[in-house]
Amino acid sequence: MEKYDALIFGHKNPDTDSICASLVQEKYNKNNGWNTKAVRLGNINKETEYVLKYLGIDAPKLINEVADGQDVILVDHNAFAQSVNNIENAHIQMVVDHHRISNFETKEPLYYIAKPYGCTCTILFEEFKNANMKIEKKEALLMLSAIVSDTLLFKSPTCTKYDVEAAKELGKIAEVDVQTYGLDMLKAGTDLSDFSPSELINIDSKEFVTGNYKFQVAQINVTSIEDVLENKSSIEKAMENFMTENGTNLFIFLITDILNNDSQSIVLGDTKLFEKAFGQTVENNMALLEGVVSRKKQIVPVILEALEKMGN
Ligand code: MG
Ligand code: MG
Ligand code: MG
């Protein structure tokens, strides 16, 4: 690979924000004369594929690990468990992120831009603004797509007024109707027909580690929960295999209905903790979480609090 000042990437099992933020950060750096390259840490999902096709651009190159001392820029994540292999030995120049900061440590000073917004691309939108940098049509659509994806078209509790404002302006630059384009993009992501059960649980899956406790929260967006549940037993088998391989204590698989904003969860492993956390019974390995669409705001903090209470 050509020599770059730094590689830019989002989290493993990349979502639209991880891919789009990497590409937009690359453009921002280029405008500043910085020769950096967006890469990715996993397969492109159908939703992101829709965005890239719409723009007629290629996905960033896939990498699996980085060399010792490699200069890197992290977007849309900071936790090492969700980052590239060998991140511990890389040189992190910068982080642009909208998640809680966890298990993160560097040996050297760095740029760290964190805002509690609904999307990394909303932060990048403000970076362009602050630098008086013109936003081109392509970057506008990339940022808009990421905002729509992360906020589920502004319906997620993670959505802030900054995301809404940014999307409005980006929609104008990109010359698209935000609602129409947004729903088409989200719907493209609900086509899961090509995925095997083990792929399904990995499309958008994140590991969380606290002390000795490991939990996994995976999520898919659908327009029909029932369709997915037809394959429930094979999904459960895939989850079980994953847990054995990774030493996972608790696995929550969220099947999120993007039209009604409810999530059906399949819960395996430490279901007792799940029940304590959510005050709901797990029956047949399932619990319906009404109005729950956000892993970051409605799942992870609830689990962490329950773990703390139980002295983990
Ligand atoms: Mg993400
Ligand atoms: Mg994000
Ligand atoms: Mg997401």
Side-chain angles (χ1 to χ4, degrees):
M1 197 159 36
E2 197 190 325
K3 184 86 181 90
Y4 295 103
D5 298 338
L7 298 176
I8 311 164
F9 46 82
H11 50 78
K12 280 179 178 157
N13 303 322
D15 56 9
T16 299
D17 189 26
S18 271
I19 298 297
C20 293
S22 306
L23 291 167
V24 172
Q25 183 68 52
E26 180 190 298
K27 171 72 172 174
Y28 180 90
N29 294 345
K30 194 180 168 200
N31 289 349
N32 282 317
W34 215 12
N35 179 33
T36 58
K37 191 73 187 160
V39 293
R40 66 185 158 94
L41 307 185
N43 293 335
I44 297 287
N45 67 36
K46 291 267 170 108
E47 183 194 271
T48 313
E49 195 180 295
Y50 178 89
V51 180
L52 298 177
K53 267 200 186 138
Y54 192 97
L55 288 168
I57 59 174
D58 290 332
K61 188 177 173 272
L62 176 71
I63 65 162
N64 290 311
E65 58 179 354
V66 290
D68 290 358
Q70 170 71 50
D71 288 314
V72 297
I73 294 170
L74 312 189
V75 295
D76 196 33
H77 76 298
N78 66 76
F80 283 6
Q82 294 162 13
S83 198
V84 72
N85 298 332
N86 199 35
I87 185 68
E88 299 80 7
N89 298 310
H91 174 227
I92 303 173
Q93 292 184 339
M94 174 155 75
V95 177
V96 185
D97 188 27
H98 66 129
H99 294 86
R100 76 191 182 100
I101 300 172
S102 80
N103 300 324
F104 184 83
E105 195 178 278
T106 59
K107 296 186 188 82
E108 289 172 71
L110 76 161
Y111 291 98
Y112 200 114
I113 309 174
K115 294 184 185 179
Y117 293 176
C119 182
T120 307
C121 279
T122 305
I123 304 174
L124 291 177
F125 170 80
E126 290 188 355
E127 291 298 302
F128 271 77
K129 290 265 151 190
N130 294 340
N132 271 323
M133 204 182 272
K134 185 171 183 256
I135 298 172
E136 307 287 343
K137 212 168 156 179
K138 180 178 130 189
E139 280 71 37
L141 194 90
L142 289 170
M143 288 191 263
L144 172 66
S145 302
I147 295 168
V148 166
S149 171
D150 269 10
T151 66
L152 270 186
L153 209 42
F154 318 115
K155 286 184 296 193
S156 167
T158 57
C159 187
T160 67
K161 65 176 181 183
Y162 306 102
D163 304 297
V164 177
E165 280 165 16
K168 211 187 249 175
E169 194 170 330
L170 291 166
K172 277 188 197 137
I173 301 170
E175 293 176 40
V176 294
D177 178 76
V178 172
Q179 286 295 325
T180 311
Y181 171 80
L183 198 57
D184 285 349
M185 185 203 82
L186 288 176
K187 278 191 177 153
T190 65
D191 173 14
L192 305 168
S193 49
D194 290 350
F195 296 101
S196 69
S198 66
E199 286 168 337
L200 207 60
I201 62 162
N202 271 304
I203 291 175
D204 177 9
S205 189
K206 284 185 184 173
E207 180 183 273
F208 300 88
V209 185
T210 168
N212 293 322
Y213 199 94
K214 243 189 202 184
F215 64 101
Q216 191 81 18
V217 187
Q219 185 172 30
I220 53 170
N221 289 344
V222 302
T223 50
S224 162
I225 288 172
E226 287 70 36
D227 286 359
V228 180
L229 291 181
E230 278 174 20
N231 299 314
K232 179 167 170 273
S233 60
S234 40
I235 292 170
E236 286 167 351
K237 214 159 271 158
M239 289 168 71
E240 272 163 21
N241 290 341
F242 180 96
M243 293 176 77
T244 311
E245 268 169 41
N246 295 281
T248 313
N249 298 84
L250 169 68
F251 196 144
I252 304 168
F253 181 61
L254 297 168
I255 308 163
T256 301
D257 185 331
I258 59 163
L259 303 177
N260 298 320
N261 301 316
D262 295 326
S263 292
Q264 179 64 258
S265 62
I266 301 180
V267 188
L268 291 185
D270 192 1
T271 50
K272 279 221 170 66
L273 185 104
F274 179 96
E275 290 182 335
K276 280 231 167 72
F278 292 96
Q280 250 174 277
T281 322
V282 176
E283 255 176 89
N284 208 1
N285 297 335
M286 289 198 299
L288 180 67
L289 301 168
E290 281 177 29
V292 170
V293 297
S294 169
R295 166 175 46 207
K296 178 163 67 166
K297 235 178 174 149
Q298 295 169 298
I299 301 287
V300 174
V302 181
I303 296 290
L304 289 175
E305 202 191 317
L307 279 170
E308 214 162 275
K309 273 188 193 147
M310 292 181 79
N312 262 296

